Amino acid sequence: MVKHVILWTLKDELTAEEKLQVKKGIKEGLEGLKGVVPGIVEIRVNIDGLASSNADLMLDSTFESEEALKAYAVNPAHVAVADGKVRPYTKLRSCLDYEI
């Protein structure tokens, strides 16, 4: 299995209320992909980081294999969420993928 972990920082120009709505939208969109995109074992988005955090939200996901992760990256349902709910609002993305 493969873990796929992403940390995002939202754009500075967003208000606190806008950031909250964006985070909720990202969570709903990405977590909604389980059962839609083949190969997802688990997918969670944490939007409630502590004040000491320097990222706004985190995707913690598990895939059946590296091939399943690669297929997820180009799956139209995932691309729609990424293009509609994530990329327009984020300024920084860090990713770590690893085998478990």
Side-chain angles (χ1 to χ4, degrees), residues 20 23-24 27 45-51 53 55-58:
L20 179 59
K23 290 192 288 185
K24 286 179 178 179
K27 180 177 179 66
V45 177
N46 186 316
I47 62 172
D48 297 316
L50 299 176
S53 302
D56 291 302
L57 66 160
M58 178 187 76

Side-chain angles (χ1 to χ4, degrees), residues 7-14 19 22 26 54-57 86-94:
L7 294 172
W8 288 285
T9 302
L10 299 177
K11 292 181 177 179
D12 295 329
E13 58 266 23
L14 297 171
K19 285 183 178 186
V22 166
I26 292 171
N54 64 2
D56 291 302
L57 66 160
V86 180
R87 292 183 181 115
Y89 307 103
T90 56
K91 70 174 184 176
L92 183 62
R93 175 188 179 274
S94 296

Side-chain angles (χ1 to χ4, degrees), residues 4-98:
H4 174 62
V5 179
I6 305 284
L7 294 172
W8 288 285
T9 302
L10 299 177
K11 292 181 177 179
D12 295 329
E13 58 266 23
L14 297 171
T15 67
E17 180 59 31
E18 288 170 330
K19 285 183 178 186
L20 179 59
Q21 293 309 311
V22 166
K23 290 192 288 185
K24 286 179 178 179
I26 292 171
K27 180 177 179 66
E28 179 183 326
L30 290 174
E31 290 181 355
L33 295 174
K34 185 166 184 184
V36 174
V37 176
I40 296 174
V41 175
E42 185 174 13
I43 187 162
R44 292 188 186 152
V45 177
N46 186 316
I47 62 172
D48 297 316
L50 299 176
S52 57
S53 302
N54 64 2
D56 291 302
L57 66 160
M58 178 187 76
L59 168 67
D60 182 6
S61 54
T62 306
F63 290 83
E64 293 173 352
S65 64
E66 187 174 359
E67 292 74 26
L69 174 58
K70 289 177 182 177
Y72 161 83
V74 297
N75 182 286
H78 169 253
V79 172
V81 172
D83 286 347
K85 296 179 181 274
V86 180
R87 292 183 181 115
Y89 307 103
T90 56
K91 70 174 184 176
L92 183 62
R93 175 188 179 274
S94 296
C95 174
L96 178 65
D97 297 328
Y98 59 96

